[in-house]
Structures are given as C-alpha cells and as structure tokens.
C-alpha cells in the first residue's frame, strides 16, 4: 500500500477542495481503526466504575471523585501530549469537566488547546516555584465548554533546578491541586519526556498513571525504568498511585512489528491496556497548528474516532483510585 502524503489544507481553499482533501486523509487508517475498535458495550446508561450512573442526556458517567491522571513516559515522541489533549477534549465533549495541566516546558499541550503561554503569562512554573494559586493561571479553552488548561511557558525548563532547594519539592503540584477548589471530574497532567522533578511532581499529585506506548521496539526500552520509578513513588511518596491505563499509539496495521509490539504489551500488562489503539494519522499532527485538538479539527478522522473510543473506555473502566 503506497504512503499518501496529503496536501496541506490552506485557509483559502474552497469548501469543495477542503472536503475532498479531508476525505482522503481521514480514510488513511480507517481499516486499522475498524479492526481494533473496542467491543464492549458502553451505553451511557450503564453504571460507571465508581458506581455512579450516567445522566440521561447522553453524557458519560461522572466519577465519584476527581480522577487525577498523569500521562507519563520518559521517551519522547510517543504521543503523550497528543493523548493528553485529545482524551481531555473527548471527555469534555461528553459532559465531563476536565483540566489539562501542561507540565512540559515545550508547552505543546497549551498550543493545542489555544491557551496563551508566551511572555509574561502566569503559568505552572509560578505555581510550583512561587506558590501562585492554581486558580490564577487556569484558563478556559475557547469553544470547548468544560475544558480548562493550566499553561506552561519556557520558564518551566528552569524549575527542575529551582525545585531542588525548596521544601517538599516533590509534592508542590499536589499541594497546588489540593487547594484548587473548582469542581472537576478529571485532571490530566501532561508530563515532560524525562524522569526528573517535574514528572515526580506529577506522579506524586496523581491517583493514576497513563502510559502511551508507541508501537515500535524502541518504545519498550526504558519502560522498566519508568515502572520502577512508579513503584518507588508509590512506596515512599504516594501510596494511592496506580498504573491504570496503557494506550498503544502510532499503530500501523500494515507492519508486522506494530502487531508484535501490541501483542507483547498486551501479554505482559493484560487488561491495563486499552482495547482501542491509536493509528498513525496525519490529522493528529495537523490539528495543533490550528490551535485545536483533532476532536474538533476533524471529528471524522481515524485519529479522532480512536481517541473518542479510548476516552469512552477510560470513562467506563473499572479503576480503583
């Protein structure tokens, strides 16, 4: 099967041209997504993992308490930010109130959620280092009711050094989130590609860890170190931490390697791995350049449908937090 390189969509393209190009790109991995779609019944009227029932307006069940999920993997390029942003968008589109905490100095999650994160904008750095209240930096995401973002600026790159000398340096994010009194169903923390103090803060603040794993061999290397760190934090700093979810990303059904990696991960981690896999999709890469998640940029694309299915699984899964 030939690899199709789609023509970029330009604002000046006619509606007919944009629709044609959208159709081409949206079908790029549809066969893979169809094959890997989850089979469980997730009717909005069924009880949730926590025992709560969904409202009758088609929304997904709200958890009994706010679920704090750290999206972590020290390997870069595995889809942490893409996963954080699109899961958050999918959840908010189905009645959940979601806060995305951008803990990566690159600020990519803030970009994808159209949240200003340059110049003197108050950000997570000031929350961690200067004890600024979380409420002072959280911004509502435009055109996405129920979705909020705590942005990161490049200043956060210096936080690793400045946190070293501070009291209770590992728990500063947890303290800030505990003092944030907004009513939320999910807090999703987008971690940087490292195992430094920023990631440690995320793991100490979280109840759950979600690990995106790219369907390539290199993605499995270093996973053991991440799991050891999770165990150490659970033993010494956060006994409620739980590896709740693994999501397979960048899946290419045309290659045997992707299937082998997926099978190996499922054999080792069992039900922790979501049934839904995230296919490779050009739309997932394009969406942030428009300041959007793929859920609003191209809802019919294979990537958007996959993240919607993954978010549905997370909302309905039996998870002890």
């Amino acid at each position: 099967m030939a690899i199709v390189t789609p023509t970029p969509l330009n604002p000046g393209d006619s509606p007919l041209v944009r629709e044609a190009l959208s159709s081409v790109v949206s079908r790029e991995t549809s066969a893979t997504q169809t094959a890997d779609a989850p089979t469980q019944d997730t009717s909005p009227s069924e009880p949730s993992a926590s025992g709560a029932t969904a409202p009758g307006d088609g929304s997904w069940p709200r958890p009994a308490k706010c679920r704090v999920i750290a999206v972590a993997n020290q390997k870069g390029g595995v889809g942490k930010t893409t996963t954080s942003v699109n899961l958050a968008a999918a959840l908010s589109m189905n009645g959940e109130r979601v806060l995305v905490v951008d803990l990566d100095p690159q600020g990519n999650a803030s970009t994808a959620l159209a949240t200003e994160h340059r110049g003197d904008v108050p950000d997570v750095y000031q929350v961690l280092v200067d004890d600024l209240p979380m409420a002072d930096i959280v911004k509502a995401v435009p055109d996405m009711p129920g979705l909020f973002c705590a942005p990161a600026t490049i200043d956060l790159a210096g936080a690793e050094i400045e946190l070293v000398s501070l009291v209770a340096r590992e728990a500063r994010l947890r303290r800030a989130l505990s003092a944030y009194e907004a009513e939320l169903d999910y807090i999703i923390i987008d971690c940087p590609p490292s195992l430094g103090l920023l990631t440690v803060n995320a793991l100490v603040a979280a109840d759950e860890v979600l690990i995106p794993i790219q369907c390539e061999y290199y993605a499995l290397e270093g996973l053991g170190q991440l799991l050891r760190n999770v165990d150490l934090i659970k033993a010494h700093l956060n006994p409620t931490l739980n590896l709740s979810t693994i999501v397979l990303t960048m899946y290419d059904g045309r290659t045997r390697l992707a299937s082998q990696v997926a099978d190996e991960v499922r054999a080792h981690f069992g039900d922790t791995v979501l049934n839904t896999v995230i296919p490779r999709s050009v739309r997932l890469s394009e969406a942030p350049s428009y300041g959007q998640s793929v859920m609003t940029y191209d809802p019919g694309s294979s990537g958007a449908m996959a993240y919607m299915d993954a978010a549905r699984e997370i909302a309905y899964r039996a998870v002890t937090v």
Side-chain angles (χ1 to χ4, degrees):
M1 178 178 178
I3 298 176
V4 179
T5 303
T7 305
L9 297 179
N10 297 314
D13 286 340
S14 69
L16 186 61
V17 172
R18 293 178 65 84
E19 182 177 352
L21 292 176
S22 174
S23 176
V24 170
V25 180
S26 298
R27 292 197 303 267
E28 61 183 345
T29 50
S30 59
T32 298
Q33 181 56 32
T34 300
D36 292 288
T39 57
Q40 76 260 35
D41 178 17
T42 54
S43 167
S45 62
E46 67 180 86
S48 71
S50 61
T53 55
D57 59 359
S59 298
W60 292 345
R62 299 179 64 181
K65 69 169 187 173
C66 180
R67 292 173 63 180
V68 184
I69 304 173
V71 181
N73 191 329
Q74 77 271 26
K75 187 179 186 305
V78 299
K80 287 187 299 297
T81 298
T82 300
T83 296
S84 300
V85 167
N86 289 299
L87 287 179
L91 289 165
S92 72
M93 291 168 71
N94 287 276
E96 314 286 358
R97 291 175 58 84
V98 187
L99 169 64
V100 176
V101 178
D102 191 351
L103 213 58
D104 188 342
Q106 298 175 87
N108 295 147
S110 305
T111 298
L113 295 175
T115 302
E116 181 61 40
H117 62 103
R118 295 177 178 85
D120 58 354
V121 174
D123 73 318
V124 175
Y125 168 83
Q126 291 163 286
V127 170
L128 295 177
V129 176
D130 299 331
D131 294 320
L132 187 70
M134 183 68 71
D136 289 358
I137 71 165
V138 171
K139 301 290 189 294
V141 176
D143 304 317
M144 293 291 290
L147 184 56
F148 306 88
C149 179
T153 68
I154 193 62
D155 291 343
L156 196 56
E160 293 274 2
I161 297 173
E162 296 187 50
L163 283 172
V164 170
S165 60
L166 298 181
V167 176
R169 58 192 181 187
E170 302 93 350
R172 296 184 73 83
L173 180 60
R174 178 171 65 184
R175 187 174 66 183
L177 291 176
S178 298
Y180 185 55
E181 297 180 349
E183 182 181 349
L184 296 168
D185 299 307
Y186 292 85
I187 297 174
I188 297 177
I189 307 172
D190 181 32
C191 298
S194 72
L195 292 176
L197 272 174
L198 291 176
T199 299
V200 169
N201 262 269
L203 295 177
V204 171
D207 301 310
E208 307 174 44
V209 183
L210 184 153
I211 303 178
I213 297 181
Q214 185 181 4
C215 291
E216 293 184 3
Y217 174 74
Y218 283 146
L220 299 178
E221 293 192 333
L223 185 58
Q225 182 60 51
L226 173 59
L227 296 177
R228 282 191 291 274
N229 278 30
V230 170
D231 288 340
L232 284 172
I233 289 171
K234 184 172 183 177
H236 300 288
L237 295 169
N238 183 9
T240 64
L241 188 63
N242 173 45
L243 173 58
S244 66
T245 310
I246 291 176
V247 58
L248 297 168
T249 63
M250 304 182 189
Y251 184 87
D252 188 344
R254 300 169 296 182
T255 67
R256 182 177 298 176
L257 176 61
S259 298
Q260 290 175 339
V261 171
D263 290 344
E264 186 172 339
V265 172
R266 291 187 191 281
H268 188 75
F269 293 101
D271 292 339
T272 303
V273 186
L274 293 184
N275 294 331
T276 305
V277 297
I278 310 301
R280 287 191 178 273
S281 172
V282 174
R283 287 301 207 225
L284 290 173
S285 302
E286 282 183 353
S289 66
Y290 290 84
Q292 298 182 51
S293 69
V294 76
M295 311 308 300
T296 55
Y297 177 65
D298 187 357
S301 66
S302 59
M305 291 187 291
Y307 273 115
M308 185 64 76
D309 287 340
R312 184 184 294 109
E313 277 196 74
I314 290 171
Y316 281 96
R317 297 193 85 172
V319 177
T320 303
V321 294

